[in-house]
Amino acid sequence: MKDSERRKPMTTKPHDTRSVDDAQREEGEPTAVVFDIQRFSVHDGPGIRTTVFFKGCPLHCAWCQNPESISRTPQLMLYPQRCIGCGKCLPACPELDPDNLPEGAFRPETCRNCGLCAKVCPSEARQMAGRKMTVDAICQVALRDKPFYREQGGVTLGGGEPLAQWPVARAVADALRAQGVHVALDTACSVPRAVIEDVPAHIDLVLADLKLVTPDKHRQWTGADNTRILESIRLLSGAMPGRLWISIPLIPGVQDEEELKRMADFLRGLENPPPVRVLEFHRLGESKYEALGLPPPDFSGNAALPKQAATDILATHGLQLMET
Ligand code: SF4
Ligand code: SF4
């Protein structure tokens, strides 16, 4: 075969360049973009749970361990070490280089995240993070493990920010609760007040993140103002007594003793002070940054406050600490 013929694209079907919102409007049935559904999770609420990860988040936390969760648009993730050089991705994409395998099978500058190449990759060297799912499709997966949930467990809606896709997340919660499944919501709370006001009627337990209370620091580390977050936590504490947990991600160099005291003061001043979980920073998300072609966050040079010291500060200031 001549070189010019080999290079000719044999695209299996036209690239879908529609945005997620356009596609939803055209296809009618409401869908959410979900990037993972994790079964047998034991850290996302009480008991054994299935966690549904909704894609898209209004915050840009410098330490994010799920970088594929930030954009709501499905994204191509590449794991070159898994490539077996089979060339099956080449016909899917005119942008890939058949004369330079395996390197030529990786992300071209012009990648539009259409996902056609990932569909045919046999080794998961190419994967798409994010797919549109209907309420029924999400519930079908979530209900597979219902016998394991028993009294305590259930389903957690997380992300990303599940409240950024609240109409579908709420419909999922309603459908699962109608079947007797306990539904928790893991949220960063940076959403409009009207959305937060709607939560207590549809969700059994809220796991709300509190990263920083000092406004400048919050802007510095997450790229967003925290006024709405603090207001949301206040509202939920009043509306959901006994049904709100606070999660504090402890990040090296981000919260010092002074900041933790301020956070404790804020939480103790709520109408129903909620129990608090301190979550330690880990580096498990680094390979995902590489797969997306992004530099991973580097907190290695930052002084880390030990978890025990942090929990002691919070407990001394009158908060109820939970085991994690
Ligand atoms: S996801 Fe990117 S590399 Fe893959 S077929 Fe689409 S445009 Fe080509
Ligand atoms: S289909 Fe997957 S394994 Fe085969 S060449 Fe492409 S990236 Fe490598």
Side-chain angles (χ1 to χ4, degrees):
M1 185 186 286
K2 284 187 215 152
D3 203 39
S4 58
E5 286 171 338
R6 285 178 58 217
R7 280 176 167 282
K8 223 177 264 175
M10 296 187 292
T11 312
T12 50
K13 61 177 180 176
H15 286 229
D16 185 350
T17 54
R18 298 172 300 171
S19 73
V20 171
D21 287 330
D22 286 346
Q24 272 186 219
R25 269 194 292 277
E26 286 165 27
E27 286 160 21
E29 196 170 355
T31 57
V33 185
V34 170
F35 70 91
D36 196 9
I37 298 184
Q38 195 175 306
R39 299 163 72 187
F40 297 101
S41 164
V42 291
H43 298 294
D44 298 323
I48 292 173
R49 311 191 73 81
T50 294
T51 303
V52 181
F53 292 91
F54 289 80
K55 191 160 158 51
C57 181
L59 303 183
H60 289 79
C61 303
W63 57 85
C64 183
Q65 294 300 293
N66 287 319
E68 77 278 34
S69 74
I70 296 172
S71 164
R72 188 167 152 197
T73 308
Q75 289 167 286
L76 180 68
M77 296 181 81
L78 294 171
Y79 295 92
Q81 62 281 10
R82 297 183 194 162
C83 176
I84 55 173
C86 68
K88 287 189 176 167
C89 53
L90 300 178
C93 186
E95 310 296 344
L96 300 176
D97 180 2
D99 293 331
N100 185 24
L101 286 177
E103 289 82 2
F106 295 118
R107 191 193 320 271
E109 300 277 313
T110 50
C111 176
R112 286 170 291 182
N113 292 303
C114 72
L116 293 176
C117 58
K119 276 189 189 156
V120 295
C121 177
S123 66
E124 299 192 327
R126 317 179 74 81
Q127 300 177 21
M128 284 306 283
R131 63 189 165 123
K132 289 181 288 174
M133 293 184 76
T134 62
V135 172
D136 278 355
I138 295 170
C139 289
Q140 265 180 32
V141 180
L143 287 169
R144 272 184 213 155
D145 294 328
K146 192 178 173 208
F148 299 101
Y149 300 155
R150 304 201 179 165
E151 295 80 33
Q152 279 217 305
V155 173
T156 298
L157 310 179
E161 176 51 75
L163 291 181
Q165 300 188 71
W166 180 232
V168 172
R170 181 180 60 190
V172 169
D174 290 349
L176 293 173
R177 294 175 84 213
Q179 303 244 11
V181 175
H182 178 275
V183 177
L185 174 79
D186 191 348
T187 173
C189 291
S190 185
V191 292
R193 183 185 174 98
V195 174
I196 292 291
E197 284 175 340
D198 200 26
V199 165
H202 301 273
I203 294 291
D204 296 301
L205 173 71
V206 172
L207 319 174
D209 279 358
L210 181 63
K211 290 146 177 128
L212 292 151
V213 291
T214 306
D216 289 351
K217 287 188 179 178
H218 196 275
R219 258 192 298 275
Q220 176 193 345
W221 289 106
T222 74
D225 185 79
N226 64 355
T227 309
R228 201 146 78 165
I229 295 171
L230 302 182
E231 190 49 41
S232 297
I233 292 175
R234 264 192 214 102
L235 199 150
L236 291 170
S237 122
M240 300 182 75
R243 296 196 289 141
L244 173 66
W245 296 1
I246 298 293
S247 310
I248 298 179
L250 188 64
I251 314 297
V254 173
Q255 303 99 345
D256 56 16
E257 188 173 338
E258 201 47 47
E259 181 67 20
L260 283 169
K261 286 179 186 167
R262 287 200 197 116
M263 292 165 82
D265 286 343
F266 167 75
L267 292 169
R268 214 184 40 222
L270 295 174
E271 194 175 333
N272 301 291
V276 175
R277 309 186 295 165
V278 175
L279 308 177
E280 277 183 293
F281 177 68
H282 60 75
R283 300 171 61 184
L284 299 176
E286 283 188 7
S287 64
K288 296 185 188 179
Y289 278 88
E290 284 159 23
L292 290 166
L294 300 170
D298 182 10
F299 285 84
S300 55
N302 292 4
L305 192 64
K307 184 179 175 187
Q308 189 59 53
T311 54
D312 287 349
I313 291 166
L314 297 168
T316 308
H317 280 70
L319 295 178
Q320 179 195 341
L321 271 297
M322 302 177 74
E323 292 292 328
T324 54

